[in-house]
Amino acid sequence: RQLSAESVAAPVSLYRPQPAVKWKSQPSRGSSGTRRFVGATPPRAATIYYSLGKNARYAELTISDIEGRELTAFEGDAKAGLHKFEWGLRRVVKGASARSRRGPTVPSGKYLVTLTVDDEDYETVLVVEDDPGN
């Protein structure tokens, strides 16, 4: 909804993400008989979009708590165009191997998303909510 001709043409646009929900898994309740539930599984991640009007040297996404303490950082796509990034709502454990880069899930609250493109920072706020059914 934030995508426009102006935002795509801008050198850099970091779009405000929708709130992310920390969905809880429910244990299996057994057979449902002849009926079957069919539906999409909700994402277990925050989806962040940004667009670049031209190719950049580099792009990096950093997630911090609202006080600015860095939780994790990822290399972003630096090519011109619209980009989608999904963050699994986890901290990266410092010193962990590349295989075990999954850390603890973050608590609900507000987080700062910083997109750094060629030494310029762009920021927005991401809200993480608890599962409304629990």
Side-chain angles (χ1 to χ4, degrees), residues 46-61:
T47 304
I48 301 163
Y49 291 94
Y50 66 95
S51 60
L52 303 177
K54 62 179 183 176
N55 290 342
R57 289 187 321 273
Y58 73 92
E60 180 182 66
L61 279 161

Side-chain angles (χ1 to χ4, degrees), residues 79-99:
K79 294 179 184 175
L82 179 65
H83 303 284
K84 174 183 176 182
F85 178 79
E86 291 186 343
W87 172 48
L89 305 178
R90 294 183 176 272
R91 295 180 186 151
V92 172
V93 178
K94 299 263 188 218
S97 71
R99 280 192 179 162

Side-chain angles (χ1 to χ4, degrees), residues 38-120:
V38 178
T41 302
R44 295 186 177 273
T47 304
I48 301 163
Y49 291 94
Y50 66 95
S51 60
L52 303 177
K54 62 179 183 176
N55 290 342
R57 289 187 321 273
Y58 73 92
E60 180 182 66
L61 279 161
T62 304
I63 312 292
S64 306
D65 64 17
I66 206 66
E67 287 83 31
R69 291 182 294 258
E70 183 178 315
L71 301 174
T72 190
F74 302 93
E75 185 177 332
D77 193 334
K79 294 179 184 175
L82 179 65
H83 303 284
K84 174 183 176 182
F85 178 79
E86 291 186 343
W87 172 48
L89 305 178
R90 294 183 176 272
R91 295 180 186 151
V92 172
V93 178
K94 299 263 188 218
S97 71
R99 280 192 179 162
S100 61
R101 293 183 59 97
R102 295 181 60 90
T105 303
V106 298
S108 59
K110 293 183 179 180
Y111 293 87
L112 185 63
V113 177
T114 305
L115 172 65
T116 302
V117 178
D118 295 344
D119 298 324
E120 288 200 45

